[in-house]
Amino acid sequence: MEKTNTQILKEKLFRPKKNGWESKNIDKNKIMTFAKDYIDFINKAKTERECVQEFTKILKENGFKNLQSEQNLKAGDKVYYINRYKNIYAAVIGSDDLTKGFNIVGAHIDSPRLDLKPNPLYESAELAMFKTHYYGGIKKYQWVNIPLSMHGIIMTKDNKKIEINIGEQEDEPIFTIADLLPHLSSQQNKKKLDEAIGGEDLNILVGSIPYETDEEISEKVKLNILNLLNQKYGIVERDFVSSEIEFVPALKAKSLGFDQSLVAGYGQDDRVCAYTSLKALLNVNNPKRTAICLLADKEEIGSMGNTGMSSRSFEYFLEQILDKTIGNKPGLLDEIFQSTRVLSADVTGGYNPNYPSTYEKNNESYIGHGISVIKYTGSASKGGASDANAEFVGYIRNLFETNNIAYQNSEMGKIGIGGGGTIAYILADKGVDVIDCGVPVISMHSPYEITSKFDIYNAYKAYEVFYQDE
Ligand code: MN
Ligand code: MN
């Protein structure tokens, strides 16, 4: 049937909201293959340190060199810089005058988790336990009675670095936090959800056999655990004070759904944007503008610290690049920032059909509708938001539309119901143009976050065209 004039007018004027899987020109095989590699990656890299290790390997395999070992850089050169094992930057040098600005995609590689306290090990009721301090915004009740694995490093008194990774392999033990049985939970059940499990209740069970001796001594189970750790790693109790041990879900990331369209897995905030932005950079060869991927730590606790976005280590990296290309001088980097474009590649909340009253349905991110472009984050009054200029939003939508990138524009939830932040405002402080742009996630910050393979692939493509735009 012929379309009526009114139908034609509507098609011309309305913005279509389209499920990405229904798009004409998508290659499902490519999407599925990309997602498979991504799933392998998030199963291997469950902490910021492990991300840096995996990314360094990938960068080296793709011709990136350590910035510190290079004296001079020229157009087309590929370099990376690692900041204290937890934060990494990579760049492909452009052929244009560097003072015309950089194209930067910035994501973060830390995720919510349970850290050990400085004095973690104790014994109670002949069980050995670890005290934890949670990192990032978690719903604490989600972290009990799930398998946990132990990752991180311990520095000994004589400065030896012990790397720990227990609970990911089939033949390794896991750990868990024991919740109260329902039979005895009548009082706990009356508490508010965020009070039912407190921060001090997140104690991890780590053993139960007493040290074998005829002597009458106390804390034999704790002694036995310390003895095992001493035999395996050479550590003593005091060594925990100089450790960074993170407990994360020992769950394997997998395809989700009969149609395998989704990914369920831990740490997708924000490793889904970190992985896609780094993979996209690998496709950038001889760009005009210098393309940079920045992967920050500490975003989940406010971006402070020397590996967080607020540290000057990123400027140091850029100044090193200037030193080794056109020569740095005072004020030059500030000048370059004025014409630098940044995508703050962080996830946003995807519409969850279990909680319709939470959302304002015209302005949410929908799973499978492509990458989300978020003009501003913040809370009720837009407080704390870096609100991108319309001119820059216009540039981004034009870029995405020209390159057939599926994108959506959204807020996160109804006004006043909550809020969130990203590294965008810290980059905006430097004087760059910046906008949030990432993959929508359902059940964000939970031990098992959900994303769409279509959105993941679109993020990868979106970052690639952004890096390469002149
Ligand atoms: Mn994030
Ligand atoms: Mn987060």
Side-chain angles (χ1 to χ4, degrees):
M1 242 187 35
E2 287 262 311
K3 283 180 184 165
T4 65
N5 283 342
T6 320
Q7 278 172 330
I8 292 166
L9 183 67
K10 191 177 170 190
E11 268 171 34
K12 182 182 161 197
L13 297 182
F14 273 42
R15 175 183 187 174
K17 290 206 167 170
K18 205 168 168 195
N19 188 313
W21 295 105
E22 293 181 323
S23 316
K24 293 274 175 322
N25 303 318
I26 62 165
D27 185 337
K28 275 192 189 157
N29 280 336
K30 271 191 189 164
I31 293 174
M32 293 296 173
T33 307
F34 188 85
K36 189 180 172 299
D37 291 344
Y38 165 64
I39 288 172
D40 288 346
F41 171 78
I42 53 174
N43 279 330
K44 268 188 281 190
K46 290 194 166 186
T47 67
E48 60 281 14
R49 284 176 191 269
E50 290 169 3
C51 280
V52 166
Q53 283 172 10
E54 284 300 317
F55 284 144
T56 307
K57 213 162 79 188
I58 294 172
L59 287 166
K60 281 184 180 167
E61 284 166 7
N62 284 275
F64 283 74
K65 303 220 168 77
N66 189 334
L67 176 64
Q68 283 154 309
S69 59
E70 301 302 299
Q71 295 308 313
N72 294 296
L73 298 174
K74 58 180 188 316
D77 280 356
K78 300 179 173 190
V79 288
Y80 68 88
Y81 175 78
I82 299 170
N83 177 25
R84 296 177 173 85
Y85 312 98
K86 299 197 283 188
N87 158 214
I88 184 167
Y89 313 118
V92 183
I93 309 300
S95 57
D96 257 2
D97 179 1
L98 268 69
T99 59
K100 288 186 182 166
F102 305 136
N103 290 352
I104 300 173
V105 181
H108 67 92
I109 51 178
D110 60 317
S111 294
R113 60 182 191 243
L114 306 172
D115 288 343
L116 283 192
K117 288 193 182 188
N119 303 298
L121 185 60
Y122 68 103
E123 176 177 336
S124 179
E126 292 162 74
L127 295 174
M129 313 280 283
F130 270 155
K131 292 298 297 183
T132 67
H133 198 136
Y134 63 96
Y135 172 100
I138 61 167
K139 294 169 87 170
K140 296 188 273 305
Y141 73 87
Q142 295 177 336
W143 292 72
V144 298
N145 287 112
I146 59 165
L148 297 170
S149 54
M150 177 176 177
H151 299 240
I153 62 146
I154 300 176
M155 298 300 297
T156 64
K157 189 180 165 198
D158 51 0
N159 223 19
K160 229 170 82 196
K161 186 187 273 192
I162 316 280
E163 294 198 27
I164 310 253
N165 187 323
I166 306 170
E168 296 296 339
Q169 306 305 322
E170 262 321 300
D171 57 348
E172 286 176 346
I174 52 87
F175 308 90
T176 200
I177 296 166
D179 192 10
L180 198 54
L181 65 170
H183 315 65
L184 300 180
S185 293
S186 62
Q187 288 180 340
Q188 187 191 39
N189 287 343
K190 287 187 190 114
K191 291 185 182 172
K192 288 184 186 160
L193 195 60
D194 68 340
E195 291 164 2
I197 308 279
E200 297 297 349
D201 299 328
L202 297 175
N203 306 315
I204 300 172
L205 181 54
V206 299
S208 68
I209 300 179
Y211 182 74
E212 212 180 304
T213 174
D214 293 332
E215 288 173 51
E216 277 301 311
I217 59 156
S218 63
E219 299 179 281
K220 281 190 209 169
V221 178
K222 173 174 169 177
L223 177 60
N224 192 45
I225 294 298
L226 279 174
N227 195 40
L228 286 173
L229 292 173
N230 184 262
Q231 284 167 357
K232 182 154 185 201
Y233 301 110
I235 59 166
V236 297
E237 185 175 19
R238 197 192 283 260
D239 291 329
F240 281 111
V241 304
S242 46
S243 75
E244 280 180 358
I245 299 292
E246 308 174 10
F247 280 81
V248 301
L251 305 163
K252 287 269 171 264
K254 297 216 164 174
S255 291
L256 188 160
F258 292 117
D259 56 9
Q260 308 210 23
S261 59
L262 305 161
V263 175
Y266 165 72
Q268 299 201 68
D269 175 8
D270 183 34
R271 291 176 195 138
V272 65
C273 296
Y275 181 80
T276 46
S277 58
L278 189 107
K279 288 290 272 191
L281 187 70
L282 304 181
N283 299 340
V284 178
N285 293 301
N286 305 306
K288 281 224 158 140
R289 286 163 70 93
T290 298
I292 294 168
C293 176
L294 91 81
L295 302 169
D297 178 29
K298 297 279 178 276
E299 193 279 338
E300 295 295 354
I301 57 167
S303 295
M304 285 75 166
N306 58 9
T307 52
M309 196 65 242
S310 297
S311 124
R312 264 193 57 83
S313 71
F314 183 55
E315 277 91 333
Y316 174 73
F317 167 71
L318 299 178
E319 283 161 359
Q320 289 291 302
I321 286 181
L322 294 178
D323 260 341
K324 294 172 184 193
T325 49
I326 53 175
N328 194 16
K329 60 176 192 204
L332 179 59
L333 191 54
D334 282 340
E335 183 191 326
I336 294 174
F337 278 147
Q338 289 299 316
S339 46
T340 286
R341 309 172 191 143
V342 182
L343 289 183
S344 163
D346 204 345
V347 300
T348 185
Y351 183 91
N352 180 342
N354 283 335
Y355 299 92
S357 65
T358 304
Y359 302 100
E360 188 274 279
K361 63 181 187 350
N362 290 331
N363 287 285
E364 299 298 340
S365 294
Y366 290 88
I367 290 290
H369 283 229
I371 193 166
S372 294
V373 177
I374 318 248
K375 189 172 181 294
Y376 48 85
T377 56
S379 56
S381 62
K382 294 193 178 181
S386 163
D387 196 345
N389 309 319
E391 291 87 344
F392 190 56
V393 187
Y395 160 74
I396 293 295
R397 63 167 282 217
N398 188 11
L399 179 71
F400 287 177
E401 283 169 32
T402 309
N403 290 282
N404 283 319
I405 304 295
Y407 75 98
Q408 43 189 333
N409 302 80
S410 59
E411 297 195 357
M412 196 168 75
K414 281 181 179 165
I415 294 171
I417 217 161
T422 64
I423 59 171
Y425 75 98
I426 305 163
L427 288 151
D429 279 349
K430 304 184 197 305
V432 303
D433 273 314
V434 56
I435 189 163
D436 283 304
C437 182
V439 174
V441 176
I442 290 180
S443 296
M444 199 201 293
H445 287 199
S446 81
Y448 224 40
E449 301 174 316
I450 298 159
T451 54
S452 158
K453 292 181 182 178
F454 177 81
D455 301 337
I456 295 170
Y457 192 73
N458 257 270
Y460 165 60
K461 286 290 152 196
Y463 300 147
E464 186 181 331
V465 298
F466 175 82
Y467 281 132
Q468 291 181 321
D469 194 51
E470 295 169 10

